[in-house]
Amino acid sequence: MTAETIIAVDTRINARWVIPIEPAGVILDHYAILIQGDRIAGMVPQQDADHRYHARETIDLPTHVLMPGLINMHGHAAMSLFRGLADDLPLMTWLNDYIWPAEGKFVDASFVADGSRLAIAEMLRTGTTCFSDMYFFPEIVAETAYDTGIRAQICFPLLDFPTVWGAGPDEYLAKGANLIDQWSDDPYIMPAIGPHAPYTVSDRPLQRAIQLASDKNARIQLHLHETASEVADAIEKTGKRPTSRMMELGLLTPRTQCVHMTQMDDTDLSCLVDSGAHVIHCPESNLKLASGFCPVHRMQQAGVNVAIGTDGAASNNDLNLFGELNTAALIAKAVSQDATALSAHQALAMATLHGAKALGRDHELGTLEAGKLADIIAIDLSDPFSQPIYNPASHLVYSDRGRDVSHSWIGGVPQLQDGRLTRVDVPDLMLRVASWANRIRAGSSD
């Protein structure tokens, strides 16, 4: 009889519970996750790990649950500096009278750098390890995310009119093509195309975006069917629902991410199913702006992949994805009038595996499996007011445990240790945020 071979790994994490996401609905007790380099080397019962693995570092988390890092599939990171600037307003009033004027006055490269770092700090602190962003100066957002070590899909903006980032579609597309080339095949930064919405981008720029996406194998993310008035206005002007127009143009494909989709009829659902496009649900932003309810349960039953996002902090007003899951699960039950709709486990999958599918990276993100990237978070469930714990998955969704995230690793690199951010200088960041707040207060009162 030969002695069992001992496998050397970089890190061993022992936890009370592990939720791997796949197989669906599974909760593992007293398991260890082994990390070697940037990958998960194994996931075994702790007693087996004692005999089979030797780790350079062992982390004991006896009151924690481990799960894949959360994927926030839609937001406008730099808009964190506009948090609370214009609340309790309908969408178009909020945009036309407050947000767009404020952007024209304040947004530049330094605003985007500081606002994005603030957003990244908040997301890391509450369990997000990958986010999708659609905002001006995407090259700055990409560099900021890369420097911090968080994964990000960076969608460059495309609109018919001039903005602080460019004169129009020609410049946006030229800059965007360069962004895609710069970050091609990077494991952290995933450049994508971000047409703002059907009502702000005409057919010709959209057709060029579709061709660019095909040429570069890039994803497209756009706001679609966010409000009833958007759909009604489109029908009045074009005779078509926006989803039908996008389908006819060829924009809806398995590389497309449709954000919001609060308005949906049978034709819209058929377009989504037939095209293989993904939907990004932003429940709290939709509630706050009175935009409507995304029929998540109906779409999931039809086979549409639905992921989740926070939207920007100017319309949410936080980037805590666990809170978003809580809201999403409750809304799904009320909208479908079915208490079984969007269960706790399904909600967790929406924020992990479904986001990875929308990114086209479910082969290496979204679940805890040997060989996948070690993007992992730990949530401490020792809070006295969290007790007793019968089902940790239910606790994560229905009790909003975002603030209880204690550790995170992205590609095996610690990003959060005992609640402390390892790669963000928080005191310096707070000074920068305070400076921006003073400028915005003074400028908004002019």
PDB file of all heavy atoms in Angstrom, residues 65 67-70 125-128 284 308 310 318-328 348 351 377-379 392-393 395-405:
ATOM      1  N   VAL A  65     -20.468  31.515   5.063  1.00  0.00           N
ATOM      2  CA  VAL A  65     -20.841  30.783   3.859  1.00  0.00           C
ATOM      3  C   VAL A  65     -19.965  31.293   2.722  1.00  0.00           C
ATOM      4  O   VAL A  65     -19.741  32.498   2.587  1.00  0.00           O
ATOM      5  CB  VAL A  65     -22.342  30.944   3.522  1.00  0.00           C
ATOM      6  CG1 VAL A  65     -22.755  32.391   3.405  1.00  0.00           C
ATOM      7  CG2 VAL A  65     -22.701  30.190   2.249  1.00  0.00           C
ATOM      8  N   MET A  67     -19.400  31.395  -1.451  1.00  0.00           N
ATOM      9  CA  MET A  67     -20.128  31.277  -2.709  1.00  0.00           C
ATOM     10  C   MET A  67     -19.350  32.025  -3.789  1.00  0.00           C
ATOM     11  O   MET A  67     -18.389  32.740  -3.483  1.00  0.00           O
ATOM     12  CB  MET A  67     -21.548  31.834  -2.571  1.00  0.00           C
ATOM     13  CG  MET A  67     -21.625  33.323  -2.282  1.00  0.00           C
ATOM     14  SD  MET A  67     -23.326  33.963  -2.348  1.00  0.00           S
ATOM     15  CE  MET A  67     -23.638  33.874  -4.130  1.00  0.00           C
ATOM     16  N   PRO A  68     -19.724  31.861  -5.054  1.00  0.00           N
ATOM     17  CA  PRO A  68     -19.042  32.635  -6.096  1.00  0.00           C
ATOM     18  C   PRO A  68     -19.255  34.131  -5.890  1.00  0.00           C
ATOM     19  O   PRO A  68     -20.287  34.568  -5.371  1.00  0.00           O
ATOM     20  CB  PRO A  68     -19.722  32.166  -7.397  1.00  0.00           C
ATOM     21  CG  PRO A  68     -20.406  30.895  -7.050  1.00  0.00           C
ATOM     22  CD  PRO A  68     -20.770  30.990  -5.604  1.00  0.00           C
ATOM     23  N   GLY A  69     -18.278  34.919  -6.316  1.00  0.00           N
ATOM     24  CA  GLY A  69     -18.450  36.363  -6.272  1.00  0.00           C
ATOM     25  C   GLY A  69     -19.635  36.794  -7.110  1.00  0.00           C
ATOM     26  O   GLY A  69     -19.963  36.186  -8.131  1.00  0.00           O
ATOM     27  N   LEU A  70     -20.290  37.870  -6.684  1.00  0.00           N
ATOM     28  CA  LEU A  70     -21.473  38.361  -7.382  1.00  0.00           C
ATOM     29  C   LEU A  70     -21.082  39.125  -8.637  1.00  0.00           C
ATOM     30  O   LEU A  70     -20.039  39.765  -8.693  1.00  0.00           O
ATOM     31  CB  LEU A  70     -22.292  39.261  -6.465  1.00  0.00           C
ATOM     32  CG  LEU A  70     -22.723  38.674  -5.118  1.00  0.00           C
ATOM     33  CD1 LEU A  70     -23.610  39.668  -4.370  1.00  0.00           C
ATOM     34  CD2 LEU A  70     -23.431  37.340  -5.279  1.00  0.00           C
ATOM     35  N   ARG A 125     -16.985  45.769  -1.233  1.00  0.00           N
ATOM     36  CA  ARG A 125     -17.348  45.634   0.180  1.00  0.00           C
ATOM     37  C   ARG A 125     -18.623  44.829   0.379  1.00  0.00           C
ATOM     38  O   ARG A 125     -18.836  44.233   1.445  1.00  0.00           O
ATOM     39  CB  ARG A 125     -17.505  47.032   0.798  1.00  0.00           C
ATOM     40  CG  ARG A 125     -17.817  47.037   2.285  1.00  0.00           C
ATOM     41  CD  ARG A 125     -16.719  46.362   3.090  1.00  0.00           C
ATOM     42  NE  ARG A 125     -17.085  46.233   4.493  1.00  0.00           N
ATOM     43  CZ  ARG A 125     -17.858  45.248   4.979  1.00  0.00           C
ATOM     44  NH1 ARG A 125     -18.354  44.320   4.181  1.00  0.00           N
ATOM     45  NH2 ARG A 125     -18.133  45.201   6.267  1.00  0.00           N
ATOM     46  N   THR A 126     -19.477  44.778  -0.633  1.00  0.00           N
ATOM     47  CA  THR A 126     -20.756  44.072  -0.501  1.00  0.00           C
ATOM     48  C   THR A 126     -20.850  42.821  -1.389  1.00  0.00           C
ATOM     49  O   THR A 126     -21.940  42.335  -1.648  1.00  0.00           O
ATOM     50  CB  THR A 126     -21.924  45.031  -0.813  1.00  0.00           C
ATOM     51  OG1 THR A 126     -21.707  45.665  -2.082  1.00  0.00           O
ATOM     52  CG2 THR A 126     -22.052  46.097   0.266  1.00  0.00           C
ATOM     53  N   GLY A 127     -19.699  42.320  -1.857  1.00  0.00           N
ATOM     54  CA  GLY A 127     -19.692  40.998  -2.474  1.00  0.00           C
ATOM     55  C   GLY A 127     -19.571  40.920  -3.976  1.00  0.00           C
ATOM     56  O   GLY A 127     -19.515  39.818  -4.524  1.00  0.00           O
ATOM     57  N   THR A 128     -19.550  42.049  -4.668  1.00  0.00           N
ATOM     58  CA  THR A 128     -19.422  42.011  -6.122  1.00  0.00           C
ATOM     59  C   THR A 128     -17.949  41.845  -6.498  1.00  0.00           C
ATOM     60  O   THR A 128     -17.084  42.559  -5.990  1.00  0.00           O
ATOM     61  CB  THR A 128     -19.984  43.300  -6.745  1.00  0.00           C
ATOM     62  OG1 THR A 128     -21.407  43.317  -6.571  1.00  0.00           O
ATOM     63  CG2 THR A 128     -19.666  43.386  -8.234  1.00  0.00           C
ATOM     64  N   GLU A 284     -34.546  47.675  -8.183  1.00  0.00           N
ATOM     65  CA  GLU A 284     -34.677  48.826  -7.297  1.00  0.00           C
ATOM     66  C   GLU A 284     -34.697  50.141  -8.067  1.00  0.00           C
ATOM     67  O   GLU A 284     -35.445  51.060  -7.723  1.00  0.00           O
ATOM     68  CB  GLU A 284     -33.570  48.802  -6.243  1.00  0.00           C
ATOM     69  CG  GLU A 284     -33.746  47.637  -5.267  1.00  0.00           C
ATOM     70  CD  GLU A 284     -32.742  47.645  -4.137  1.00  0.00           C
ATOM     71  OE1 GLU A 284     -31.860  48.539  -4.107  1.00  0.00           O
ATOM     72  OE2 GLU A 284     -32.830  46.765  -3.268  1.00  0.00           O
ATOM     73  N   ILE A 308     -28.788  40.124 -13.194  1.00  0.00           N
ATOM     74  CA  ILE A 308     -29.258  41.231 -12.358  1.00  0.00           C
ATOM     75  C   ILE A 308     -28.202  42.322 -12.261  1.00  0.00           C
ATOM     76  O   ILE A 308     -27.001  42.068 -12.358  1.00  0.00           O
ATOM     77  CB  ILE A 308     -29.645  40.722 -10.947  1.00  0.00           C
ATOM     78  CG1 ILE A 308     -30.415  41.780 -10.160  1.00  0.00           C
ATOM     79  CG2 ILE A 308     -28.406  40.232 -10.180  1.00  0.00           C
ATOM     80  CD1 ILE A 308     -31.139  41.229  -8.943  1.00  0.00           C
ATOM     81  N   THR A 310     -27.540  46.581 -10.458  1.00  0.00           N
ATOM     82  CA  THR A 310     -28.032  47.601  -9.535  1.00  0.00           C
ATOM     83  C   THR A 310     -28.474  48.864 -10.255  1.00  0.00           C
ATOM     84  O   THR A 310     -29.218  49.666  -9.701  1.00  0.00           O
ATOM     85  CB  THR A 310     -26.928  48.013  -8.548  1.00  0.00           C
ATOM     86  OG1 THR A 310     -25.777  48.435  -9.279  1.00  0.00           O
ATOM     87  CG2 THR A 310     -26.558  46.855  -7.631  1.00  0.00           C
ATOM     88  N   ASP A 318     -27.870  52.568  -3.928  1.00  0.00           N
ATOM     89  CA  ASP A 318     -26.674  51.863  -3.491  1.00  0.00           C
ATOM     90  C   ASP A 318     -26.318  50.803  -4.523  1.00  0.00           C
ATOM     91  O   ASP A 318     -27.070  50.546  -5.455  1.00  0.00           O
ATOM     92  CB  ASP A 318     -26.865  51.243  -2.095  1.00  0.00           C
ATOM     93  CG  ASP A 318     -27.963  50.189  -2.066  1.00  0.00           C
ATOM     94  OD1 ASP A 318     -27.877  49.209  -2.852  1.00  0.00           O
ATOM     95  OD2 ASP A 318     -28.905  50.306  -1.266  1.00  0.00           O
ATOM     96  N   LEU A 319     -25.143  50.201  -4.333  1.00  0.00           N
ATOM     97  CA  LEU A 319     -24.655  49.182  -5.261  1.00  0.00           C
ATOM     98  C   LEU A 319     -24.515  47.842  -4.565  1.00  0.00           C
ATOM     99  O   LEU A 319     -23.674  47.019  -4.932  1.00  0.00           O
ATOM    100  CB  LEU A 319     -23.314  49.632  -5.854  1.00  0.00           C
ATOM    101  CG  LEU A 319     -23.315  51.008  -6.516  1.00  0.00           C
ATOM    102  CD1 LEU A 319     -21.928  51.346  -7.066  1.00  0.00           C
ATOM    103  CD2 LEU A 319     -24.368  51.093  -7.621  1.00  0.00           C
ATOM    104  N   ASN A 320     -25.355  47.617  -3.563  1.00  0.00           N
ATOM    105  CA  ASN A 320     -25.361  46.377  -2.788  1.00  0.00           C
ATOM    106  C   ASN A 320     -26.211  45.342  -3.517  1.00  0.00           C
ATOM    107  O   ASN A 320     -27.436  45.402  -3.499  1.00  0.00           O
ATOM    108  CB  ASN A 320     -25.917  46.660  -1.391  1.00  0.00           C
ATOM    109  CG  ASN A 320     -26.142  45.397  -0.570  1.00  0.00           C
ATOM    110  OD1 ASN A 320     -25.704  44.300  -0.941  1.00  0.00           O
ATOM    111  ND2 ASN A 320     -26.828  45.551   0.545  1.00  0.00           N
ATOM    112  N   LEU A 321     -25.571  44.390  -4.161  1.00  0.00           N
ATOM    113  CA  LEU A 321     -26.306  43.439  -4.989  1.00  0.00           C
ATOM    114  C   LEU A 321     -27.119  42.450  -4.161  1.00  0.00           C
ATOM    115  O   LEU A 321     -28.130  41.930  -4.641  1.00  0.00           O
ATOM    116  CB  LEU A 321     -25.341  42.689  -5.913  1.00  0.00           C
ATOM    117  CG  LEU A 321     -25.928  42.138  -7.214  1.00  0.00           C
ATOM    118  CD1 LEU A 321     -26.614  43.226  -8.020  1.00  0.00           C
ATOM    119  CD2 LEU A 321     -24.847  41.473  -8.059  1.00  0.00           C
ATOM    120  N   PHE A 322     -26.739  42.201  -2.918  1.00  0.00           N
ATOM    121  CA  PHE A 322     -27.570  41.340  -2.070  1.00  0.00           C
ATOM    122  C   PHE A 322     -28.918  42.002  -1.800  1.00  0.00           C
ATOM    123  O   PHE A 322     -29.963  41.343  -1.786  1.00  0.00           O
ATOM    124  CB  PHE A 322     -26.860  41.026  -0.746  1.00  0.00           C
ATOM    125  CG  PHE A 322     -25.913  39.869  -0.830  1.00  0.00           C
ATOM    126  CD1 PHE A 322     -24.552  40.064  -0.754  1.00  0.00           C
ATOM    127  CD2 PHE A 322     -26.391  38.577  -0.991  1.00  0.00           C
ATOM    128  CE1 PHE A 322     -23.665  38.998  -0.836  1.00  0.00           C
ATOM    129  CE2 PHE A 322     -25.520  37.495  -1.073  1.00  0.00           C
ATOM    130  CZ  PHE A 322     -24.156  37.702  -0.993  1.00  0.00           C
ATOM    131  N   GLY A 323     -28.921  43.312  -1.575  1.00  0.00           N
ATOM    132  CA  GLY A 323     -30.191  44.021  -1.417  1.00  0.00           C
ATOM    133  C   GLY A 323     -31.034  43.940  -2.668  1.00  0.00           C
ATOM    134  O   GLY A 323     -32.265  43.819  -2.612  1.00  0.00           O
ATOM    135  N   GLU A 324     -30.369  43.992  -3.822  1.00  0.00           N
ATOM    136  CA  GLU A 324     -31.074  43.886  -5.099  1.00  0.00           C
ATOM    137  C   GLU A 324     -31.736  42.520  -5.235  1.00  0.00           C
ATOM    138  O   GLU A 324     -32.859  42.397  -5.753  1.00  0.00           O
ATOM    139  CB  GLU A 324     -30.090  44.113  -6.242  1.00  0.00           C
ATOM    140  CG  GLU A 324     -30.697  44.715  -7.475  1.00  0.00           C
ATOM    141  CD  GLU A 324     -30.961  46.200  -7.335  1.00  0.00           C
ATOM    142  OE1 GLU A 324     -30.258  46.887  -6.580  1.00  0.00           O
ATOM    143  OE2 GLU A 324     -31.896  46.688  -8.003  1.00  0.00           O
ATOM    144  N   LEU A 325     -31.043  41.478  -4.788  1.00  0.00           N
ATOM    145  CA  LEU A 325     -31.613  40.127  -4.849  1.00  0.00           C
ATOM    146  C   LEU A 325     -32.849  40.013  -3.974  1.00  0.00           C
ATOM    147  O   LEU A 325     -33.835  39.362  -4.352  1.00  0.00           O
ATOM    148  CB  LEU A 325     -30.568  39.099  -4.409  1.00  0.00           C
ATOM    149  CG  LEU A 325     -29.401  38.856  -5.350  1.00  0.00           C
ATOM    150  CD1 LEU A 325     -28.460  37.810  -4.760  1.00  0.00           C
ATOM    151  CD2 LEU A 325     -29.888  38.406  -6.721  1.00  0.00           C
ATOM    152  N   ASN A 326     -32.787  40.610  -2.786  1.00  0.00           N
ATOM    153  CA  ASN A 326     -33.944  40.608  -1.891  1.00  0.00           C
ATOM    154  C   ASN A 326     -35.148  41.220  -2.589  1.00  0.00           C
ATOM    155  O   ASN A 326     -36.236  40.624  -2.650  1.00  0.00           O
ATOM    156  CB  ASN A 326     -33.570  41.416  -0.635  1.00  0.00           C
ATOM    157  CG  ASN A 326     -34.635  41.387   0.433  1.00  0.00           C
ATOM    158  OD1 ASN A 326     -35.818  41.307   0.144  1.00  0.00           O
ATOM    159  ND2 ASN A 326     -34.218  41.482   1.682  1.00  0.00           N
ATOM    160  N   THR A 327     -34.949  42.408  -3.161  1.00  0.00           N
ATOM    161  CA  THR A 327     -36.038  43.095  -3.858  1.00  0.00           C
ATOM    162  C   THR A 327     -36.528  42.288  -5.051  1.00  0.00           C
ATOM    163  O   THR A 327     -37.738  42.155  -5.279  1.00  0.00           O
ATOM    164  CB  THR A 327     -35.561  44.479  -4.321  1.00  0.00           C
ATOM    165  OG1 THR A 327     -35.113  45.233  -3.193  1.00  0.00           O
ATOM    166  CG2 THR A 327     -36.676  45.238  -5.010  1.00  0.00           C
ATOM    167  N   ALA A 328     -35.599  41.739  -5.819  1.00  0.00           N
ATOM    168  CA  ALA A 328     -35.971  40.977  -7.012  1.00  0.00           C
ATOM    169  C   ALA A 328     -36.829  39.775  -6.661  1.00  0.00           C
ATOM    170  O   ALA A 328     -37.830  39.482  -7.337  1.00  0.00           O
ATOM    171  CB  ALA A 328     -34.716  40.528  -7.758  1.00  0.00           C
ATOM    172  N   LEU A 348     -29.748  33.647  -6.189  1.00  0.00           N
ATOM    173  CA  LEU A 348     -28.290  33.605  -6.107  1.00  0.00           C
ATOM    174  C   LEU A 348     -27.678  33.227  -7.457  1.00  0.00           C
ATOM    175  O   LEU A 348     -26.623  33.761  -7.837  1.00  0.00           O
ATOM    176  CB  LEU A 348     -27.850  32.615  -5.021  1.00  0.00           C
ATOM    177  CG  LEU A 348     -28.203  33.007  -3.573  1.00  0.00           C
ATOM    178  CD1 LEU A 348     -27.813  31.881  -2.621  1.00  0.00           C
ATOM    179  CD2 LEU A 348     -27.531  34.311  -3.173  1.00  0.00           C
ATOM    180  N   ALA A 351     -27.431  36.188  -9.798  1.00  0.00           N
ATOM    181  CA  ALA A 351     -26.343  37.123  -9.529  1.00  0.00           C
ATOM    182  C   ALA A 351     -24.966  36.512  -9.728  1.00  0.00           C
ATOM    183  O   ALA A 351     -23.958  37.191  -9.483  1.00  0.00           O
ATOM    184  CB  ALA A 351     -26.458  37.640  -8.099  1.00  0.00           C
ATOM    185  N   ILE A 377     -16.489  34.779  -2.522  1.00  0.00           N
ATOM    186  CA  ILE A 377     -16.782  35.672  -1.405  1.00  0.00           C
ATOM    187  C   ILE A 377     -17.186  34.846  -0.186  1.00  0.00           C
ATOM    188  O   ILE A 377     -17.680  33.720  -0.312  1.00  0.00           O
ATOM    189  CB  ILE A 377     -17.883  36.695  -1.736  1.00  0.00           C
ATOM    190  CG1 ILE A 377     -19.210  36.003  -2.090  1.00  0.00           C
ATOM    191  CG2 ILE A 377     -17.437  37.619  -2.857  1.00  0.00           C
ATOM    192  CD1 ILE A 377     -20.383  36.975  -2.276  1.00  0.00           C
ATOM    193  N   ALA A 378     -16.956  35.431   0.997  1.00  0.00           N
ATOM    194  CA  ALA A 378     -17.365  34.820   2.261  1.00  0.00           C
ATOM    195  C   ALA A 378     -18.280  35.789   2.987  1.00  0.00           C
ATOM    196  O   ALA A 378     -17.976  36.982   3.096  1.00  0.00           O
ATOM    197  CB  ALA A 378     -16.149  34.497   3.114  1.00  0.00           C
ATOM    198  N   ILE A 379     -19.397  35.280   3.486  1.00  0.00           N
ATOM    199  CA  ILE A 379     -20.365  36.088   4.213  1.00  0.00           C
ATOM    200  C   ILE A 379     -20.483  35.541   5.620  1.00  0.00           C
ATOM    201  O   ILE A 379     -20.737  34.343   5.824  1.00  0.00           O
ATOM    202  CB  ILE A 379     -21.752  36.069   3.525  1.00  0.00           C
ATOM    203  CG1 ILE A 379     -21.629  36.468   2.050  1.00  0.00           C
ATOM    204  CG2 ILE A 379     -22.710  37.002   4.249  1.00  0.00           C
ATOM    205  CD1 ILE A 379     -21.513  35.299   1.082  1.00  0.00           C
ATOM    206  N   PRO A 392     -28.935  28.804   4.924  1.00  0.00           N
ATOM    207  CA  PRO A 392     -28.111  29.984   4.645  1.00  0.00           C
ATOM    208  C   PRO A 392     -28.444  30.669   3.325  1.00  0.00           C
ATOM    209  O   PRO A 392     -28.288  31.890   3.203  1.00  0.00           O
ATOM    210  CB  PRO A 392     -26.683  29.439   4.647  1.00  0.00           C
ATOM    211  CG  PRO A 392     -26.809  27.966   4.513  1.00  0.00           C
ATOM    212  CD  PRO A 392     -28.122  27.596   5.111  1.00  0.00           C
ATOM    213  N   ALA A 393     -28.932  29.931   2.327  1.00  0.00           N
ATOM    214  CA  ALA A 393     -29.312  30.564   1.062  1.00  0.00           C
ATOM    215  C   ALA A 393     -30.454  31.548   1.289  1.00  0.00           C
ATOM    216  O   ALA A 393     -30.458  32.665   0.747  1.00  0.00           O
ATOM    217  CB  ALA A 393     -29.705  29.512   0.032  1.00  0.00           C
ATOM    218  N   HIS A 395     -31.102  33.105   4.079  1.00  0.00           N
ATOM    219  CA  HIS A 395     -30.547  34.243   4.803  1.00  0.00           C
ATOM    220  C   HIS A 395     -29.885  35.236   3.850  1.00  0.00           C
ATOM    221  O   HIS A 395     -30.046  36.442   3.986  1.00  0.00           O
ATOM    222  CB  HIS A 395     -29.526  33.757   5.829  1.00  0.00           C
ATOM    223  CG  HIS A 395     -30.103  33.542   7.194  1.00  0.00           C
ATOM    224  ND1 HIS A 395     -31.139  32.669   7.429  1.00  0.00           N
ATOM    225  CD2 HIS A 395     -29.802  34.092   8.397  1.00  0.00           C
ATOM    226  CE1 HIS A 395     -31.443  32.686   8.713  1.00  0.00           C
ATOM    227  NE2 HIS A 395     -30.642  33.550   9.326  1.00  0.00           N
ATOM    228  N   LEU A 396     -29.130  34.717   2.900  1.00  0.00           N
ATOM    229  CA  LEU A 396     -28.401  35.594   1.988  1.00  0.00           C
ATOM    230  C   LEU A 396     -29.345  36.462   1.165  1.00  0.00           C
ATOM    231  O   LEU A 396     -29.047  37.632   0.890  1.00  0.00           O
ATOM    232  CB  LEU A 396     -27.513  34.771   1.053  1.00  0.00           C
ATOM    233  CG  LEU A 396     -26.362  34.009   1.707  1.00  0.00           C
ATOM    234  CD1 LEU A 396     -25.570  33.245   0.652  1.00  0.00           C
ATOM    235  CD2 LEU A 396     -25.442  34.947   2.476  1.00  0.00           C
ATOM    236  N   VAL A 397     -30.476  35.909   0.771  1.00  0.00           N
ATOM    237  CA  VAL A 397     -31.403  36.638  -0.099  1.00  0.00           C
ATOM    238  C   VAL A 397     -32.421  37.447   0.702  1.00  0.00           C
ATOM    239  O   VAL A 397     -32.607  38.644   0.462  1.00  0.00           O
ATOM    240  CB  VAL A 397     -32.121  35.673  -1.064  1.00  0.00           C
ATOM    241  CG1 VAL A 397     -33.200  36.404  -1.869  1.00  0.00           C
ATOM    242  CG2 VAL A 397     -31.103  35.019  -1.996  1.00  0.00           C
ATOM    243  N   TYR A 398     -33.068  36.809   1.669  1.00  0.00           N
ATOM    244  CA  TYR A 398     -34.192  37.477   2.322  1.00  0.00           C
ATOM    245  C   TYR A 398     -33.795  38.332   3.519  1.00  0.00           C
ATOM    246  O   TYR A 398     -34.604  39.121   4.011  1.00  0.00           O
ATOM    247  CB  TYR A 398     -35.238  36.441   2.731  1.00  0.00           C
ATOM    248  CG  TYR A 398     -35.821  35.724   1.544  1.00  0.00           C
ATOM    249  CD1 TYR A 398     -35.691  34.346   1.390  1.00  0.00           C
ATOM    250  CD2 TYR A 398     -36.475  36.429   0.535  1.00  0.00           C
ATOM    251  CE1 TYR A 398     -36.200  33.686   0.284  1.00  0.00           C
ATOM    252  CE2 TYR A 398     -36.985  35.784  -0.580  1.00  0.00           C
ATOM    253  CZ  TYR A 398     -36.846  34.414  -0.695  1.00  0.00           C
ATOM    254  OH  TYR A 398     -37.346  33.772  -1.797  1.00  0.00           O
ATOM    255  N   SER A 399     -32.555  38.205   3.988  1.00  0.00           N
ATOM    256  CA  SER A 399     -32.101  39.030   5.108  1.00  0.00           C
ATOM    257  C   SER A 399     -31.058  40.057   4.698  1.00  0.00           C
ATOM    258  O   SER A 399     -30.515  40.749   5.553  1.00  0.00           O
ATOM    259  CB  SER A 399     -31.538  38.133   6.230  1.00  0.00           C
ATOM    260  OG  SER A 399     -32.527  37.262   6.729  1.00  0.00           O
ATOM    261  N   ASP A 400     -30.734  40.137   3.389  1.00  0.00           N
ATOM    262  CA  ASP A 400     -29.812  41.138   2.841  1.00  0.00           C
ATOM    263  C   ASP A 400     -28.496  41.164   3.608  1.00  0.00           C
ATOM    264  O   ASP A 400     -28.273  41.997   4.483  1.00  0.00           O
ATOM    265  CB  ASP A 400     -30.460  42.517   2.861  1.00  0.00           C
ATOM    266  CG  ASP A 400     -29.532  43.598   2.271  1.00  0.00           C
ATOM    267  OD1 ASP A 400     -28.426  43.244   1.813  1.00  0.00           O
ATOM    268  OD2 ASP A 400     -29.921  44.773   2.284  1.00  0.00           O
ATOM    269  N   ARG A 401     -27.605  40.264   3.257  1.00  0.00           N
ATOM    270  CA  ARG A 401     -26.347  40.124   3.988  1.00  0.00           C
ATOM    271  C   ARG A 401     -25.194  40.866   3.330  1.00  0.00           C
ATOM    272  O   ARG A 401     -24.028  40.557   3.595  1.00  0.00           O
ATOM    273  CB  ARG A 401     -25.964  38.647   4.119  1.00  0.00           C
ATOM    274  CG  ARG A 401     -26.973  37.696   4.703  1.00  0.00           C
ATOM    275  CD  ARG A 401     -27.787  38.157   5.861  1.00  0.00           C
ATOM    276  NE  ARG A 401     -27.101  38.867   6.918  1.00  0.00           N
ATOM    277  CZ  ARG A 401     -27.743  39.412   7.951  1.00  0.00           C
ATOM    278  NH1 ARG A 401     -29.055  39.351   8.040  1.00  0.00           N
ATOM    279  NH2 ARG A 401     -27.063  40.039   8.883  1.00  0.00           N
ATOM    280  N   GLY A 402     -25.451  41.855   2.499  1.00  0.00           N
ATOM    281  CA  GLY A 402     -24.373  42.558   1.824  1.00  0.00           C
ATOM    282  C   GLY A 402     -23.329  43.125   2.763  1.00  0.00           C
ATOM    283  O   GLY A 402     -22.126  43.046   2.514  1.00  0.00           O
ATOM    284  N   ARG A 403     -23.760  43.691   3.869  1.00  0.00           N
ATOM    285  CA  ARG A 403     -22.828  44.295   4.819  1.00  0.00           C
ATOM    286  C   ARG A 403     -22.058  43.239   5.617  1.00  0.00           C
ATOM    287  O   ARG A 403     -21.108  43.576   6.324  1.00  0.00           O
ATOM    288  CB  ARG A 403     -23.594  45.200   5.787  1.00  0.00           C
ATOM    289  CG  ARG A 403     -24.237  46.398   5.099  1.00  0.00           C
ATOM    290  CD  ARG A 403     -23.221  47.470   4.762  1.00  0.00           C
ATOM    291  NE  ARG A 403     -23.843  48.616   4.105  1.00  0.00           N
ATOM    292  CZ  ARG A 403     -23.258  49.789   3.962  1.00  0.00           C
ATOM    293  NH1 ARG A 403     -22.039  49.965   4.417  1.00  0.00           N
ATOM    294  NH2 ARG A 403     -23.864  50.777   3.333  1.00  0.00           N
ATOM    295  N   ASP A 404     -22.479  41.991   5.533  1.00  0.00           N
ATOM    296  CA  ASP A 404     -21.808  40.913   6.258  1.00  0.00           C
ATOM    297  C   ASP A 404     -20.755  40.197   5.422  1.00  0.00           C
ATOM    298  O   ASP A 404     -20.157  39.224   5.881  1.00  0.00           O
ATOM    299  CB  ASP A 404     -22.833  39.894   6.764  1.00  0.00           C
ATOM    300  CG  ASP A 404     -23.754  40.473   7.822  1.00  0.00           C
ATOM    301  OD1 ASP A 404     -23.284  41.332   8.597  1.00  0.00           O
ATOM    302  OD2 ASP A 404     -24.937  40.095   7.870  1.00  0.00           O
ATOM    303  N   VAL A 405     -20.536  40.656   4.188  1.00  0.00           N
ATOM    304  CA  VAL A 405     -19.446  40.092   3.391  1.00  0.00           C
ATOM    305  C   VAL A 405     -18.134  40.465   4.088  1.00  0.00           C
ATOM    306  O   VAL A 405     -17.861  41.633   4.343  1.00  0.00           O
ATOM    307  CB  VAL A 405     -19.468  40.635   1.951  1.00  0.00           C
ATOM    308  CG1 VAL A 405     -18.262  40.106   1.170  1.00  0.00           C
ATOM    309  CG2 VAL A 405     -20.764  40.225   1.252  1.00  0.00           C
TER     310      VAL A 405
END
